[in-house]
């Protein structure tokens, strides 16, 4: 019976503030490369894994997210951490998945994954695209952007759209979908380099560096003299307050994430609720899993845009399982442009 040494990343302890590399450790275990007769296990060699901000909420000793959905359950110190990814099958007890198939699903932050029956795992046809695309734009980041924008915001052509963390894995796609749909789009990001990418590469109408604005309210007034119709929120905190203050009647806020509040429990958005009432503003949170019913539409439309060269894919790829902690910590330091992915092995 063949066994391999599997290196995987775990947390040493629960993380309450901003994550540090010292919060993580690299562990080793032996993994069998054969499946017991009658077992539905699938053994996967991980190729690319996703690095996402929401994982931090799973690493806390407690978070309201942990009871919401099984993708967000608490992560235990010392145990392997599951994350969306793409890999190659080494052995399979399932009839629909064979050895050497490419698969996408909930793998782990490690070199190998053993997926039990009932785990999220699907056979993957790369459709001629690079495999990282199937971790990011065709994965939960793309689905969050598409579903959050079209299903929650219900845009009309010509509406004014504001996107925070607009160079991140979801925000950059929201802005591109909104432009292709015919909206006026402004994004904010945390560096001049990112602002240039938004305006020059992704076709945003305008963008600003929030770190250089002493007053977010006036920054939004400058960018939206006629007000905001749709705010796609990845940040929460003061940014949400400023967006609500600048919203038009019947404005919609889709809350995808609140990264400013993940690392500091004392940071809370306090939007002017009088504005919410009198402008009849809708504020709705969502999870990517809510949009499985539109996955087919999302996939075919995104495929079309990519083939026509109408969407630019931003990916931030580092290499090696040992670099997962630094890639994750980098999310909270604003190091990434686009989707953060770690390549674990070559195809």
């Amino acid at each position: 019976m063949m066994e391999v040494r599997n290196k995987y990343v775990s947390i040493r302890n629960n993380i309450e503030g901003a994550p540090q590399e010292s919060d993580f450790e690299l562990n080793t275990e032996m993994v069998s490369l054969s499946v017991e007769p009658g077992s539905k296990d699938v053994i996967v060699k991980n190729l690319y894994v996703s690095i996402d901000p929401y994982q931090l909420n799973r690493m806390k000793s407690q978070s309201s997210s942990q009871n919401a959905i099984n993708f967000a359950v608490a992560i235990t110190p010392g145990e392997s951490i599951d994350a969306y990814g793409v890999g190659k099958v080494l052995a399979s007890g399932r009839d629909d998945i064979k050895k050497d198939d490419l698969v996408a699903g909930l793998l782990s932050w490690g070199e190998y994954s053993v997926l039990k029956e009932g785990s999220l795992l699907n056979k993957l046809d790369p459709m001629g695209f690079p495999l990282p695309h199937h971790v990011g734009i065709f994965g939960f980041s793309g689905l969050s952007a598409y579903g959050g924008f079209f299903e929650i915001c219900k845009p009309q052509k010509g509406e004014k759209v504001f996107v925070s963390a607009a160079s991140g894995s979801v925000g950059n796609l929201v802005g591109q979908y909104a432009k292709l749909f015919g909206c006026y789009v402004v994004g904010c990001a945390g560096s001049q380099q990112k602002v240039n990418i938004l305006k020059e590469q992704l076709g945003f109408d305008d963008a600003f560096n929030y770190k250089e604005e002493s007053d977010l309210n006036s920054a939004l007034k400058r960018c939206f003299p006629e007000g905001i119709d749709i705010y796609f929120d990845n940040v929460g905190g003061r940014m949400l307050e400023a967006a609500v203050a600048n919203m038009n009647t019947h404005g919609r806020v889709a809350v995808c994430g609140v990264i400013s509040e993940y690392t500091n429990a004392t940071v809370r958005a306090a939007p002017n609720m009088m504005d919410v009432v009198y402008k009849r503003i809708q504020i709705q949170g969502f999870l990517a899993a809510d949009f499985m019913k539109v996955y087919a539409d999302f996939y075919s439309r995104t495929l079309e845009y990519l083939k026509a060269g109408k969407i630019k894919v931003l990916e931030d790829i580092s290499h090696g399982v040992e670099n997962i902690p630094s890639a994750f910590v980098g999310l909270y330091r604003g190091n990434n442009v686009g989707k953060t992915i770690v390549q674990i092995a070559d195809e």
Side-chain angles (χ1 to χ4, degrees), residues 27 37 74 127 158 160 175 191 206 215 234 248 265 277-278 292 299 319-320 325 332:
N27 298 318
M127 303 281 291
K160 314 282 188 290
S191 72
D206 202 355
D215 180 359
N234 293 302
N248 290 330
V277 173
Y278 284 98
M292 291 324 256
Y299 193 82
H319 302 271
Y332 291 90

Side-chain angles (χ1 to χ4, degrees), residues 16-309:
E16 304 308 337
Q20 312 289 328
E21 288 186 45
S22 56
D23 290 319
F24 296 89
E25 58 189 349
L26 202 55
N27 298 318
T28 307
E29 63 180 358
M30 298 308 290
V31 168
S32 161
L33 292 184
S34 57
V35 173
E36 297 286 323
S39 155
K40 291 270 185 3
D41 286 1
V42 180
I43 298 161
V44 176
K45 181 182 183 184
N46 301 341
L47 300 175
Y48 294 90
V49 294
S50 178
I51 310 292
D52 301 286
Y54 84 89
Q55 296 279 46
L56 183 61
N57 299 320
R58 304 181 58 197
M59 298 170 185
K60 296 175 181 175
S61 53
Q62 58 187 69
S63 164
S64 58
S65 62
Q66 294 172 1
N67 305 322
I69 186 170
N70 53 8
F71 293 130
V73 293
I75 289 168
T76 309
E79 289 187 2
S80 90
I81 295 170
D82 54 319
Y84 197 76
V86 166
K88 192 167 195 177
V89 176
L90 299 177
S92 171
R94 276 173 54 171
D95 298 334
D96 55 332
I97 291 178
K98 303 271 182 280
K99 185 178 184 316
D100 294 332
D101 280 350
L102 287 169
V103 285
L106 276 185
L107 306 182
S108 67
W109 280 358
E111 295 173 307
Y112 299 88
S113 301
V114 178
L115 289 110
K116 302 278 173 213
E117 191 172 2
S119 305
L120 177 72
L121 190 70
N122 294 300
K123 199 169 156 171
L124 176 67
D125 174 1
M127 303 281 291
F129 291 108
L131 290 183
H133 283 25
H134 297 278
V135 179
I137 188 166
F138 289 129
F140 286 128
S141 299
L143 187 58
S144 295
Y146 184 92
F149 184 62
F150 291 106
E151 296 290 300
I152 306 272
C153 300
K154 303 199 166 46
Q156 308 286 317
K157 287 197 181 2
E159 284 194 312
K160 314 282 188 290
V161 177
F162 174 46
V163 185
S164 56
S167 66
S169 63
V170 177
N172 88 86
L173 295 172
V174 172
Q176 294 187 78
Y177 285 133
K179 278 306 297 172
L180 288 164
F181 184 75
C183 292
Y184 177 84
V185 182
V186 178
C188 70
S191 72
Q192 194 51 50
Q193 175 221 4
K194 291 178 179 181
V195 166
N196 295 345
I197 289 171
L198 296 176
K199 296 205 287 204
E200 292 156 22
Q201 290 182 32
L202 304 186
F204 280 60
D205 295 291
D206 202 355
F208 65 89
N209 178 353
Y210 68 88
K211 290 182 182 167
E212 291 185 345
E213 301 290 343
S214 54
D215 180 359
L216 294 175
N217 201 2
S218 47
L220 290 180
K221 272 200 175 37
R222 183 180 77 229
C223 295
F224 294 99
E226 296 170 11
I228 300 169
D229 298 305
I230 288 171
Y231 171 40
F232 195 99
D233 189 13
N234 293 302
V235 170
R238 285 169 46 239
M239 197 67 77
L240 174 60
E241 295 171 6
V244 165
N246 283 277
M247 278 202 114
N248 290 330
T249 303
H250 298 300
R252 286 88 73 205
V253 180
V255 187
C256 178
V258 287
I259 195 166
S260 75
E261 303 183 25
Y262 293 168
T263 53
N264 183 345
T266 66
V267 174
R268 293 283 169 87
N272 182 335
M273 295 309 286
M274 203 86 103
D275 279 346
V276 173
V277 173
Y278 284 98
K279 296 180 189 174
R280 284 85 95 200
I281 295 170
Q282 292 181 32
I283 302 179
Q284 187 176 340
F286 66 88
L287 299 170
D290 299 341
F291 303 126
M292 291 324 256
K293 61 183 185 306
V294 296
Y295 189 86
D297 300 340
F298 148 70
Y299 193 82
S300 61
R301 197 188 297 193
T302 305
L303 202 59
E304 218 170 283
Y305 284 151
L306 279 174
K307 285 184 172 155

